[in-house]
Amino acid sequence: MNRLGPGPVGSATAASAAGQYRVCGNCRKVPRQEKRVQVSPPLTRGPSAFIPENEVMQANGLDERTNLLVEEYSTSGRLDNITQVMSIHTQYLESFLRSQFYMLRMDGPLPLPYRHYIAIMAAARHQCSYLINMHVDEFLKTGGIAEWLNGLEYIPQRLKNLNEINKLLAHRPWLITKEHIQKLVKTGENNWSLPELVHAVVLLAHYHALASFVFGSGINPERDPDTSNGVRLIAVNNFCVCDLANDNNIENASLTSSNFGITDSLSELEALMERMKRLQEDKEDEEASQEEMATRFEKEKKESLLVISGAFDDEIVSTDVSRYIEDPGFGYKDFARRGEDHLPTFRAQDYTWENHGFSLVNRLYSDIGHLLDEKFRMVYNLTYNTMATHEDVDTTTLRRALFNYVHCMYGIRYDDYDYGEVNQLLERSLKVYIKTVTCYPERTTKRMYDSYWRQFKHSEKVHVNLLLMEARMQAELLYALRAITRHLT
Amino acid sequence: MEKMARVTTALGGNALTGRTMFCHLDAPANAISVCRDAAQVVVAGRNIFKIYSIEEDQFVEKLNLRVGRKPSLNFSCADVVWHQMDENLLATAATNGVVVTWNLGKPSRNKQDQLFTEHKRTVNKVCFHPTEVYMLLSGSQDGYMKCFDLRKKDSVSTFSGQSESVRDVQFSIRDYFTFAATFENGNVQLWDIRRPDRYERMFTAHNGPVFCCDWHPEDRGWLATGGRDKMVKVWDMNTTRAKEIYCVQTIASVARVKWRPECKHHIATCSMMVDHNIYVWDVRRPFIPSAMFEEHKDVTTGIVWRHLHDPYFLLSGSKDSTLYQHIFKDASQPIDRANPEGLCYSLYGDLAFAAKESLISSDSNRKPYIGDRRHPIFFKRKLDPTEQFEYISSSSALSVFETDMESGSMDWFVHTAKQYALAGRPLAELCDHNAKVAKGLDRNQVAQTWTMLRIIYSSLGTVSSANLNHSMGKGSATLPLMNSFNLKDIPSGLGSESRLDRSKGENRTENILMDSSSTLINNEDNEETEGSDVPADYLLGDVEADEDDLYMMDHENPHAEEQEYSLPQEAFPLRHEIVDNPSALDHLQDKADSPHVSGNEAETVSLTPVESFSLISISHSLYENRLPTDFFNPIVRDTLLFYAEQGDVQTAVSVLIVLGDRIRKEIDEQTQEHWYTSYIDLLQRFQLWNISNEVIKLSTCRAINCLNQASTTLHINCSNCKRPMSNRGWICDRCRQCASMCAVCHHVVKGLFVWCQGCSHGGHLQHIMKWLETSSHCPAGCGHLCWRARYRRSSAAPWSGPTPPSPTPSSCSGSPSPGRSSCAGSPTTRGRALPGVCGAAAEAAGSGQAGQ
């Protein structure tokens, strides 16, 4: 295969003159012509468009990592780019793969093709064609009915009913109520049993979150022709490569305005570490009143409003993706819109994953609870005690800030967390990135990825992505499971 | 001190009185605690913090501790505790990590006393020292426990669990210095309050978080813990290693445990999720709660016994915003509703039956049975005089019935499976063949069924109505008995009912079902059988005559079969010159010819013959109008359902395969799949791999068919260079050596290669078989006991070939037991992969797929 080095997106082969080329809505470039696609190279070397290939390949703990990858390759017969990028964090990858394997392939309430179709539906909410392609293949392999791939009109009513909850879960999970659950569970012949529903919800949340990871880490389409054949699928589905590379080349006003000039990014890092230290050591100093703490959460919530990701008013969704979604205009709306404060904050202490979520999930879909529990724990506690070039750093506060900030955007509040910390630790460009990746992952660009934490290693940025992804998944699960619990009581 | 308190209550004459009652709170409660004098209770939650006094028949709100205009997170309580020494002192744990103490003696409206903001995360639990007034302990999500002296502003000492969040802390009741802490990772730690540097002991109590613990109020060494893994465990801490002495399995994760006062073995629990009830368990009887309170509509979050020495009053708070007082005499006792009869099969087909003693002894039908093979054993549970609970019936009798090995024999199943022809010949021939097989095994009803099927589906229109009618009548009269037990003198209502019904015989299907259930009470010994007034030879003779008639007709119209003919399908197209399978079959047929025990089964079927129901009108119209064959489909379907229901899934599946499309549409896919999986499971348990593969191949269910297509590829490595072999199985492309040599003849094996999964030596199937007849060691001389390995792992037998009598089949024979419902195999085996894909079985699976 003829590969080009990392270069400007899509421009390499689009040069040939031909009148019938369509113009991609996103990047205003001409997609490749179909017959040339056989030789069309991947955009960049390596699994990610954001991360240089050698970064992915050289990480610590090589032996362990190789073993794990070999094992994964021999069980699934492929080594997709997600796995490769995640393998920077071997420990995490192991629990990730285990839970994904369990929900896709092991005993469970849903038939195999259903699971992949649900994955497609979930990924389609974020127009993540990478995941869609992957699961279209799997769907067909597991004996799915090819007709379903024509779009939502062709699927059974039962699956269609899942649309509503898919939509809410992906963009505004706080709107899920027990009525939604009832609608799914009590509809005569098309009803979902609770175990099936829980399985579906877990899958949906998993794939929404995974879409965040895919866009956040700029996962490249699969290039190996005999594995998942991303190249071929580009041809088949007419996706513009920009969909896959996520580099929208769109200027983002809020980005340029923020404070990441070429200024002293080194001192930035120092400052961040200084702040972390202060937070860890002398909490007494700033002893804020309780009322103050409460308002800080509100403030953070409100402030996330301001963190907007540019002018993407009318997005053009390619038809190949849109056939899997209903109501494509439905997107993330800020939890805290000014003027409408009627939405109650989700109090994390009243419905925690450890106490409540786990018990319910495990009861209805046995063992997945343990796997997810392990995964959440793993990602929450994962640390190498390093920050950029510094070693022996306790990153707990930083990780907690990232995790809680995601939950904050979904309206989940921890009583025992001082949301002032978020403000101190997460700079604006990082907030923009977080918000984009969790709420509108399809809009993530390489610029955004590059613009925060310049001193940090790529592996650390992947770590951030993992945290965001799991925090998002947990948030979605908490809302969905709480609704199911309410339905049960 | 405790004693004093008790005396005063007794002296004061105010023994607790009250009734089951509740009051509405304004908000969900998170925890409750009682005052020492048992007259007041405090309720705390996110939006509530109130004190209620407990009156005779109601709760009265005494005090609202949430004061101030702005709600502060300090009021958002995760836990509350009332000091047992000082009735003015309360402590709460707030969700934001603050520990607050309250002094009710304060004159102002705001009773808040002290504020400790040392924890970084939510505080899950606070606990006062039982005898020390000023000592307070807290456990938090941040993994620390802190001990506060209420006279000081800061904590006295901090204990770091060095692990995840602390879920509960409890001072030991007797050991002044000891406290227990439970953790989210499943550990329990014991600490000495004087030594904050290191815990004294630690052990893993649960899988997943331990939500709660409670020291036994009397027995100093006992600690009860409850976890997310749905267990309540009682630990004896007196020994050097904590020993689990009791374990109660509940149905949901356990949120709180509280020992019941004055009852050594009783403990109250409530759960975190899903289940809203409060249970009181006797830890010695962990299977059924001794009492249950079902009042709450949402999860119970706090339980507390109203008084330290009174076991009859329990208070509880819940997320449904109610506060309840439960009185013990109003508790529901699940044991009332429990089914006191138990029935269970043993591995060898013995049957144990336990029932209330009264039920068994009062039965007049129960007669002593002399010289039987039955050894009833009676157990009687003595009432425990110290027991506070009276169980409804604590005495029961257990009878154990032994089955003789022969009646449980499944030989007929194996023979039938091997001899049935399922495809490859015209329908009529198949039916005839199978009828003969069944007949040869004295399974007359099955034989009749096959004959009838032939008549219905292949020679329609030429059957004399009289014959048809006759044979059908007979078919329903003789039932095969597959497995019989000496259950006769069990006073089951089932037996007597069916005896009554048998005389009616109006409705055919119903009658048959009844009869089938009555086989339960039939046994081998004719003299014991009630219905044996009908001479057995009469039945048999009659059947013979029928069959002759039928065969006659067969000769008259052979041409009717022609359109049924299809190309023979070889189940095992052997690709090589070695003829293994025929020899294997020969061997089996030898066995089949020998007299076998199930031969007398037909005789024991001694049901009163059913009145021949009239089919004459039907058969007339049949003759004249030439009814389409599917006219009979409903009947055939019922027949199959009947067989499956009876446990003979073999017949059902065989008929299904033989009839193919003719009947398939009549039976829903799921049932078919269920039958197939059951039958295949049975076949595999008997190690009839080839037949099970044939069945899989012939089945029309997609789900079944694909069983064969899973894992049909065996990747092998070259035995020389240890690298994967490519296309050909016997020669390695890399090292150019012949890899698969027969360990016996040292020639290359092309074709069926059988190898031991233990030592991976192998060779020609026949050679290995021959070798193993004389030796149990590996022919390669590696010293491995291949033959033993076969016994050790009977389900995945390393050698597949002829099946020697192994102990396993008898253990399987329990599956298609009479009286048990539906198909023989358990539905749990659905979708199971083929076990022991090795040697010939693997080859067969491969070729089966190739044949399609």
Side-chain angles (χ1 to χ4, degrees), chain B residues 369-659:
Chain B
Y369 188 53
I370 306 139
D372 62 355
R373 295 176 295 266
R374 182 193 56 129
H375 305 286
I377 308 159
F378 293 95
F379 290 110
K380 213 172 172 178
R381 190 177 178 277
K382 287 256 169 60
L383 274 173
D384 189 350
T386 63
E387 194 59 51
Q388 300 237 351
F389 271 109
E390 284 179 29
Y391 293 104
I392 301 310
S393 150
S394 24
S395 92
S396 58
L398 173 72
S399 325
V400 177
F401 302 91
E402 281 188 345
T403 176
D404 59 318
M405 290 313 282
E406 290 177 349
S407 71
S409 159
M410 292 285 285
D411 279 357
W412 61 270
F413 177 87
V414 177
H415 293 311
T416 314
K418 284 176 179 161
Q419 292 173 26
Y420 266 179
L422 299 178
R425 283 190 265 169
L427 177 73
E429 268 181 52
L430 289 177
C431 289
D432 282 345
H433 175 88
N434 293 344
K436 235 182 259 171
V437 170
K439 184 108 182 49
L441 292 164
D442 280 325
R443 303 177 69 215
N444 288 313
Q445 195 197 4
V446 180
Q448 281 295 333
T449 308
W450 283 111
T451 316
M452 279 155 49
L453 289 173
R454 206 212 56 180
I455 294 165
I456 292 171
Y457 288 102
S458 74
S459 49
L460 192 79
T462 52
V463 187
S464 87
S465 58
N467 265 330
L468 181 63
N469 181 20
H470 192 50
S471 60
M472 287 197 76
K474 273 275 91 73
S476 65
T478 47
L479 289 165
L481 192 59
M482 306 201 312
N483 212 341
S484 55
F485 288 88
N486 296 318
L487 283 183
K488 210 180 145 275
D489 44 357
I490 283 193
S492 70
L494 203 69
S496 50
E497 263 174 50
S498 63
R499 247 170 269 153
L500 285 176
D501 280 352
R502 208 185 300 147
S503 54
K504 293 181 195 160
E506 289 159 356
N507 184 319
R508 180 167 172 254
T509 45
E510 197 181 292
N511 194 27
I512 285 173
L513 285 175
M514 279 309 182
D515 283 348
S516 76
S517 65
S518 74
T519 58
L520 236 179
I521 55 150
N522 276 297
N523 67 22
E524 306 268 277
D525 311 297
N526 273 334
E527 72 271 15
E528 276 296 311
T529 315
E530 302 236 335
S532 63
D533 45 341
V534 181
D537 54 347
Y538 162 71
L539 282 177
L540 289 173
D542 217 19
V543 173
E544 295 280 0
D546 281 347
E547 220 158 57
D548 284 346
D549 286 351
L550 297 173
Y551 282 131
M552 292 273 287
M553 290 173 330
D554 188 18
H555 295 305
E556 283 164 19
N557 48 359
H559 48 271
E561 300 157 358
E562 273 171 14
Q563 75 265 30
E564 305 294 341
Y565 195 82
S566 60
L567 277 177
Q569 261 190 315
E570 282 281 317
F572 308 110
L574 290 175
R575 287 174 288 185
H576 309 290
E577 67 281 3
I578 306 170
V579 273
D580 304 293
N581 280 327
S583 71
L585 279 175
D586 282 349
H587 175 81
L588 302 170
Q589 266 151 5
D590 287 346
K591 261 176 138 190
D593 289 341
S594 63
H596 44 82
V597 283
S598 54
N600 61 344
E601 276 176 3
E603 291 167 51
T604 67
V605 177
S606 43
L607 308 172
T608 332
V610 181
E611 297 280 331
S612 198
F613 59 91
S614 172
L615 246 184
I616 292 177
S617 55
I618 297 176
S619 42
H620 269 304
S621 62
L622 166 89
Y623 189 65
E624 287 159 13
N625 300 338
R626 301 236 158 180
L627 280 172
T629 45
D630 49 2
F631 177 78
F632 288 107
N633 279 351
I635 297 174
V636 175
R637 186 195 57 211
D638 289 346
T639 315
L640 297 192
L641 288 172
F642 161 72
Y643 277 120
E645 193 63 31
Q646 220 196 11
D648 185 7
V649 73
Q650 183 178 46
T651 305
V653 171
S654 304
V655 171
L656 198 59
I657 292 176
V658 167
L659 292 184

Side-chain angles (χ1 to χ4, degrees), chain B residues 618-788:
Chain B
I618 297 176
S619 42
H620 269 304
S621 62
L622 166 89
Y623 189 65
E624 287 159 13
N625 300 338
R626 301 236 158 180
L627 280 172
T629 45
D630 49 2
F631 177 78
F632 288 107
N633 279 351
I635 297 174
V636 175
R637 186 195 57 211
D638 289 346
T639 315
L640 297 192
L641 288 172
F642 161 72
Y643 277 120
E645 193 63 31
Q646 220 196 11
D648 185 7
V649 73
Q650 183 178 46
T651 305
V653 171
S654 304
V655 171
L656 198 59
I657 292 176
V658 167
L659 292 184
D661 286 336
R662 297 177 190 84
I663 193 70
R664 221 176 69 212
K665 303 235 162 28
E666 291 288 321
I667 301 161
D668 72 294
E669 277 277 320
Q670 237 180 341
T671 315
Q672 288 189 33
E673 197 183 318
H674 191 76
W675 291 354
Y676 274 120
T677 43
S678 306
Y679 187 40
I680 288 163
D681 182 50
L682 269 176
L683 287 171
Q684 288 177 351
R685 284 184 191 220
F686 284 102
Q687 309 187 347
L688 300 167
W689 312 113
N690 290 351
I691 296 160
S692 88
N693 266 310
E694 190 185 352
V695 170
I696 290 171
K697 198 184 131 197
L698 290 172
S699 79
T700 42
C701 289
R702 266 199 57 170
I704 301 300
N705 252 322
C706 65
L707 284 181
N708 239 354
Q709 287 156 22
S711 66
T712 52
T713 315
L714 275 174
H715 296 283
I716 49 176
N717 285 356
C718 170
S719 58
N720 294 317
C721 62
K722 314 284 184 232
R723 275 180 296 182
M725 305 249 288
S726 55
N727 44 5
R728 274 166 302 178
W730 59 89
I731 187 161
C732 175
D733 285 339
R734 290 175 217 263
C735 59
R736 299 269 156 218
Q737 294 237 10
C738 289
S740 49
M741 305 283 273
C742 174
V744 181
C745 68
H746 300 286
H747 283 103
V748 180
V749 185
K750 299 182 180 179
L752 292 185
F753 183 83
V754 62
W755 74 93
C756 171
Q757 292 185 341
C759 67
S760 71
H761 291 112
H764 293 111
L765 177 57
Q766 277 183 322
H767 291 160
I768 296 290
M769 272 163 56
K770 212 182 245 169
W771 175 272
L772 287 176
E773 278 168 19
T774 57
S775 167
S776 56
H777 283 272
C778 174
C782 70
H784 185 248
L785 278 171
C786 304
W787 193 242
R788 286 281 164 73

Side-chain angles (χ1 to χ4, degrees), chain A residues 283 290-291 347 349-351 354-356 358-360 363 373 377 400 413 415-416 485 489, chain B residues 46 70 72-74 76 95-96 120-122 164 167 184 211 228 251 253 272-274 276:
Chain A
K283 280 207 81 167
Q290 294 309 309
E291 291 70 30
R347 299 303 192 118
Q349 268 82 0
D350 289 353
Y351 199 95
E354 286 81 14
N355 295 1
H356 306 92
F358 172 89
S359 301
L360 184 68
R363 186 187 185 86
D373 200 37
R377 236 168 244 233
R400 202 166 159 219
R413 179 184 173 189
D415 286 346
D416 54 359
T485 309
T489 51
Chain B
R46 177 174 288 284
K70 264 206 165 173
S72 158
L73 274 182
N74 292 347
S76 167
T95 50
N96 62 352
K120 287 195 188 115
R121 307 279 309 266
T122 298
E164 289 171 64
R167 300 309 300 242
E184 198 146 296
F211 286 139
R228 194 172 71 179
I251 56 166
S253 49
M272 183 74 84
M273 278 288 289
V274 190
H276 311 155

